[in-house]
Amino acid sequence: MIRILTTRLLQAVLVMVAVIAIAFIMFRFVGDPVAAMVREGASQAEKDALRAVLGLDRPLVIQFLNFVGRVLHGDLGTSFRYQQPVATLLLSRLPATLELVIVATIMSLAIGIPLGVVCALKPNGALSRLTQSLTLVGISMPTFVTGLLLILVFAVNLRWLPSSGRGDVVDLGFWQTGFLTLSGLKSLILPSITLALFQLTLIMRLVRSEMIDVLSSDYIRFAFARGLPRSYIYGRLALRNALMPVVTVTGLQIGQLIAFAIVTETVFQWPGMGLLFTNAVGFPDIPVLSAYLLFVGFLFVLINTVVDILYIFIDPRLRTR
């Protein structure tokens, strides 16, 4: 057990080392931040002075070692554009992204699980075929197209919901939330639907597949033979076993939603980490870009490591491998 846990943690550390290297190297080619920061008509001497202040005049190896040293001490650098610590910027945008991801996840589970059960009970029925066709169309459309269509229908034509922004938020000191205001809740609806579509389809199809397998098992047939109520068989026996892989996939999908909320936040001008990343690409704000990649990489590594460790405790057979 100790050997397996040590191996998993060592693998996580090695992956994070690779992510740190990629975060440093990748964004060195997105543009020259000095050109975006100096005044128009600045002399070469002024550009060189600013480059020296930012530490961009040093050899690449020295820059990388300084970058690693700062990361190990929890210092993600200072934003070139905002002239604020990058960690402060990310933490200020984190509540908006997390609230969007939380609502999208709840939507996908609340809709995807019942649809998956319905499709599994009558897999060849008209409702099942219609549901799968609609979800297939929804997942096939690019995220920005879905978002623009929702804005066109519900914000422009019907004027029921806002087209952009986060609405009014309540400052709780450590967290700014839109859950406590009407405009904040209304602003969450369209971007949450857009972000939830892919996960909803995945959960629906996964529940359908697992339910079909469970319903064909011997203990379900035995439960029917005993005359147990259908609601008990479907809800307690079949669904509980079918949800085991759904829990795992949902946990991994949360990290993916945070990572790929960039398009949704850009379309709806949602002030989260994804929009911060998009704005940083155009500047280019290298410390913000690197810190965002580090955060997303750490999140995926953390989730996968926790899932692997949980598997070891849940399934004793893995401890002997």
Side-chain angles (χ1 to χ4, degrees):
M1 172 67 75
I2 296 177
R3 180 180 59 83
I4 295 176
L5 293 177
T6 304
T7 302
R8 293 291 190 274
L9 293 177
L10 181 60
Q11 290 173 349
V13 171
L14 293 177
V15 171
M16 282 308 304
V17 170
V19 170
I20 291 175
I22 293 172
F24 175 79
I25 296 172
M26 180 182 295
F27 299 116
R28 302 289 146 175
F29 306 100
V30 297
D32 186 8
V34 173
M37 296 177 68
V38 297
R39 62 180 178 84
E40 186 177 354
S43 64
Q44 186 61 40
E46 290 176 319
K47 294 180 180 179
D48 292 340
L50 179 58
R51 194 178 303 277
V53 170
L54 298 177
L56 299 177
D57 61 331
R58 301 173 184 175
L60 197 62
V61 175
I62 301 300
Q63 292 185 44
F64 176 69
L65 293 177
N66 291 336
F67 177 71
V68 173
R70 291 197 305 269
V71 170
L72 293 178
H73 287 86
D75 181 8
L76 300 178
T78 302
S79 169
F80 292 163
R81 180 177 184 179
Y82 300 100
Q83 291 301 303
Q84 297 180 27
V86 174
T88 302
L89 283 174
L90 289 179
L91 289 176
S92 66
R93 302 295 187 99
L94 182 61
T97 298
L98 286 183
E99 289 187 358
L100 179 61
V101 169
I102 289 171
V103 174
T105 302
I106 293 174
M107 280 186 177
S108 60
L109 291 174
I111 300 174
I113 292 177
L115 285 180
V117 173
V118 170
C119 292
L121 295 181
K122 294 184 178 181
N124 297 319
L127 180 60
S128 176
R129 295 180 182 275
L130 178 62
T131 300
Q132 292 186 72
S133 300
L134 291 177
T135 54
L136 186 61
V137 171
I139 198 176
S140 301
M141 292 179 62
T143 303
F144 71 91
V145 174
T146 304
L148 292 176
L149 286 176
L150 291 175
I151 290 174
L152 179 63
V153 174
F154 294 101
V156 177
N157 293 334
L158 298 177
R159 298 183 179 180
W160 289 352
L161 299 169
S163 61
S164 63
R166 197 182 175 194
D168 297 329
V169 296
V170 177
D171 191 352
L172 301 178
F174 64 96
W175 194 275
Q176 286 188 336
T177 179
F179 288 153
L180 302 179
T181 64
L182 179 60
S183 64
L185 292 174
K186 293 174 68 174
S187 298
L188 267 168
I189 296 176
L190 293 184
S192 298
I193 293 174
T194 304
L195 190 61
L197 278 179
F198 176 80
Q199 190 180 24
L200 186 154
T201 304
L202 178 63
I203 290 175
M204 187 274 290
R205 291 180 175 272
L206 183 59
V207 171
R208 176 183 178 275
S209 175
E210 292 295 326
M211 279 287 291
I212 290 175
D213 289 341
V214 172
L215 289 175
S216 62
S217 60
D218 291 337
Y219 78 92
I220 294 295
R221 295 193 185 99
F222 181 70
F224 277 115
R226 290 182 58 191
L228 295 177
R230 288 181 175 269
S231 59
Y232 178 83
I233 295 175
Y234 293 146
R236 294 293 300 275
L237 299 181
L239 184 58
R240 289 180 64 178
N241 286 280
L243 288 181
M244 289 297 293
V246 175
V247 173
T248 302
V249 170
T250 300
L252 297 176
Q253 283 294 113
I254 291 176
Q256 188 171 353
L257 288 179
I258 294 176
F260 297 105
I262 296 175
V263 177
T264 302
E265 292 187 2
T266 302
V267 170
F268 292 94
Q269 289 297 291
W270 187 261
M273 293 191 302
L275 184 60
L276 179 67
F277 178 85
T278 303
N279 294 335
V281 171
F283 187 74
D285 198 341
I286 295 175
V288 172
L289 298 175
S290 302
Y292 181 82
L293 180 59
L294 280 176
F295 175 80
V296 172
F298 173 75
L299 190 66
F300 272 100
V301 169
L302 178 63
I303 293 175
N304 279 277
T305 302
V306 170
V307 170
D308 287 343
I309 293 175
L310 288 177
Y311 279 159
I312 295 173
F313 284 99
I314 292 174
D315 191 348
R317 294 173 298 177
L318 297 176
R319 304 174 192 176
T320 61
R321 296 181 181 179

